[in-house]
Amino acid sequence: MNKPVLDVKDVPSFGQLVTLSLQHLFAMFGATILVPYLVGLSPAMALISSGLGTLAFLIVTKWQVPAYLGSSFAFITPIIAAKAAGGPGAAMIGSFLAGLVYGIVALAIKKAGYRWIMNLLPPIVVGPVIIVIGLGLANVAVSMAMNGPDGKYSLTHFSVAVVTLAATIMFSILSRGMFSLVPVLMGIIVGYVYALAVGVVDLSGVAKAKWLEMPDFLLPFVHYDVRVTLDIVLLMVPVAIVTLSEHIGHQLVLSKVVGRDYIKEPGLHRSIFGDGLATMISALIGGPPKTTYGENIGVLAITRVYSVYVLAGAAVLAIVFGFFGKVTAIISSIPTPVMGGVSILLFGIIASSGLRMLVDSKIDFGDKRNLVISSVILVIGIGDAVVKVSEQFEVHGMALAAITGIVLNLILPGRPKVSDSVFEQKHDVA
């Protein structure tokens, strides 16, 4: 670890605080607003809930863990399914329940240690499930990229997606410094400008929007009735299996970047509970589920500014941005093919990160056990297999794939034990 410019508890000057906080805001911005765009939630609420969730996480972790929490991609398909089944309220109830699972897991880790969850979620299960998340969304990305508002193929709209994708790739591969950390945001900006030039942007909403505007809160008992059903539980709760593993991986990376063992202090149970609390807060106001962001860990690694006050500043700025009607209107005016172009890369990266987990963990596919587990997870998940016992009991897609993977890993002979040096494995910043 290099010597930090600002350590975890160092207080920056006002100028530093604003500049460095904006940097973290931009790092998470593109991916965080993409999730509500895809699932039909308010981008403003995504920003506000990410800010509130991050502040809650910092408090729970005793202001020791410099992390930013943004929208989780793992919940995109389940939220769409939950909304189709019971409206936006159903998706929020499911998100809250998923966050509650985090709390239960955190309590279990506090009482029994972390070894059991590492045995339950080894790379051979989590890697293929992450691949399913990315590839399962491939049709969504391609459809957004190719089709016009009427749902038919449009070469003009497809050109917007191609320009956006090309710009995102160029910023990701060729740029240096801060620009290399925000390729999604820069790709969206370039694609938006091109879309303006070819006339596929509707700016009427921007002109009508007020500078300061109350965002579209989605509150329980106010905007929807709270009713927990088995369908919602089965759609949303199993996704926590994947996001819990993602959280653990991020904590390992963050520990190496900052030079502190966050698994021990303040403890994995605290960070998991903080993540779950952020998701529950988000669900209560109408935002998507939350997860720690690799983009912001990348900012920490490059700048060597680890101050939690900077992360808190970014959270406050995100909340403030959510109340600017013009900002929300501009986000809403982003054409579908722009988001489609970005999604082609992002969803592919999600799938590739699952593959990378298998490679980094040195999973041997010459071992039939590993081959069977991964193969079954991939086909069940991508094929959207369904177990339907009745109208009220149904498990499908990613949830079924995750559950199947866990069961196979537990019952098939030859399951390896978790090494005592599990937290000393190599974990690079994505």
Side-chain angles (χ1 to χ4, degrees):
M1 183 195 70
N2 295 321
K3 183 179 179 181
V5 175
L6 287 173
D7 211 346
V8 175
K9 291 298 181 71
D10 289 346
V11 181
S13 66
F14 180 76
Q16 287 178 318
L17 179 63
V18 173
T19 304
L20 296 170
S21 295
L22 279 171
Q23 187 169 241
H24 274 286
L25 181 70
F26 290 146
M28 68 85 186
F29 195 88
T32 289
I33 65 169
L34 178 58
V35 173
Y37 187 97
L38 292 174
V39 301
L41 296 175
S42 166
M45 291 315 306
L47 291 174
I48 293 171
S49 61
S50 74
L52 292 174
T54 298
L55 292 175
F57 178 87
L58 293 173
I59 292 170
V60 169
T61 56
K62 301 191 292 187
W63 298 91
Q64 293 183 23
V65 183
Y68 194 92
L69 279 70
S71 305
S72 172
F73 280 80
F75 284 91
I76 290 175
T77 301
I79 288 177
I80 293 172
K83 285 185 65 181
M92 294 302 101
I93 293 169
S95 297
F96 185 89
L97 294 174
L100 195 60
V101 170
Y102 274 70
I104 295 170
V105 171
L107 181 61
I109 291 174
K110 181 176 174 60
K111 296 295 183 183
Y114 62 81
R115 311 295 299 176
W116 65 272
I117 195 168
M118 303 302 290
N119 277 297
L120 194 66
L121 298 171
I124 189 56
V125 172
V126 177
V129 172
I130 293 175
I131 294 173
V132 166
I133 294 173
L135 297 185
L137 294 166
N139 285 337
V140 174
V142 172
S143 177
M144 290 171 64
M146 293 195 310
N147 300 331
D150 58 358
K152 297 180 179 179
Y153 178 83
S154 168
L155 183 59
T156 301
H157 286 76
F158 193 32
S159 72
V160 173
V162 171
V163 169
T164 304
L165 175 60
T168 307
I169 292 172
M170 289 179 65
F171 276 105
S172 179
I173 301 297
L174 302 179
S175 60
R176 296 290 181 267
M178 182 57 193
F179 284 121
S180 68
L181 299 172
V182 290
V184 173
L185 178 63
M186 298 309 299
I188 290 174
I189 291 173
V190 171
Y192 191 85
V193 171
Y194 177 78
L196 280 170
V198 298
V200 298
V201 179
D202 180 8
L203 292 174
S204 59
V206 179
K208 295 176 183 177
K210 299 176 182 178
W211 282 104
L212 291 177
E213 199 167 70
M214 184 62 69
D216 297 324
F217 285 93
L218 189 61
L219 306 175
F221 303 108
V222 177
H223 299 111
Y224 60 90
D225 294 326
V226 175
R227 189 166 63 92
V228 179
T229 66
L230 188 58
D231 285 349
I232 298 302
V233 172
L234 294 175
L235 273 173
M236 301 288 288
V237 170
V239 184
I241 295 169
V242 181
T243 50
L244 278 167
S245 179
E246 180 183 37
H247 175 93
I248 293 169
H250 282 167
Q251 289 303 105
L252 293 170
V253 173
L254 192 59
S255 295
K256 289 183 176 293
V257 168
V258 180
R260 289 171 168 80
D261 188 351
Y262 287 128
I263 305 301
K264 294 181 179 178
E265 181 60 38
L268 185 60
H269 63 288
R270 278 188 174 272
S271 63
I272 286 179
F273 179 68
D275 205 336
L277 180 60
T279 293
M280 287 188 280
I281 291 172
S282 183
L284 289 173
I285 62 174
K290 296 292 173 274
T291 185
T292 47
Y293 257 29
E295 292 92 330
N296 295 88
I297 296 174
V299 172
L300 293 171
I302 289 179
T303 62
R304 291 184 288 121
V305 173
Y306 310 140
S307 173
V308 289
Y309 299 102
V310 171
L311 277 301
V316 172
L317 287 174
I319 295 169
V320 172
F321 266 48
F323 286 90
F324 275 83
K326 292 288 186 184
V327 173
T328 304
I330 290 173
I331 294 172
S332 299
S333 72
I334 298 173
T336 300
V338 170
M339 289 306 197
V342 168
S343 298
I344 289 173
L345 180 61
L346 276 179
F347 296 161
I349 288 175
I350 292 171
S352 298
S353 67
L355 182 61
R356 177 181 173 178
M357 175 180 287
L358 296 172
V359 173
D360 287 349
S361 302
K362 299 179 180 179
I363 300 298
D364 179 15
F365 283 100
D367 184 335
K368 291 182 180 179
R369 183 181 190 276
N370 292 333
L371 191 63
V372 166
I373 293 173
S374 60
S375 299
V376 172
I377 290 174
L378 290 173
V379 173
I380 286 178
I382 297 173
D384 199 23
V386 179
V387 171
K388 190 172 184 180
V389 178
S390 66
E391 291 297 326
Q392 289 74 37
F393 188 89
E394 180 179 308
V395 187
H396 62 87
M398 183 175 59
L400 181 59
I403 294 170
T404 303
I406 289 175
V407 171
L408 286 175
N409 178 63
L410 292 175
I411 65 174
L412 291 179
R415 176 161 57 100
K417 293 182 179 180
V418 175
S419 170
D420 289 336
S421 61
V422 64
F423 294 121
E424 296 178 6
Q425 294 176 9
K426 179 181 177 182
H427 292 274
D428 298 325
V429 177

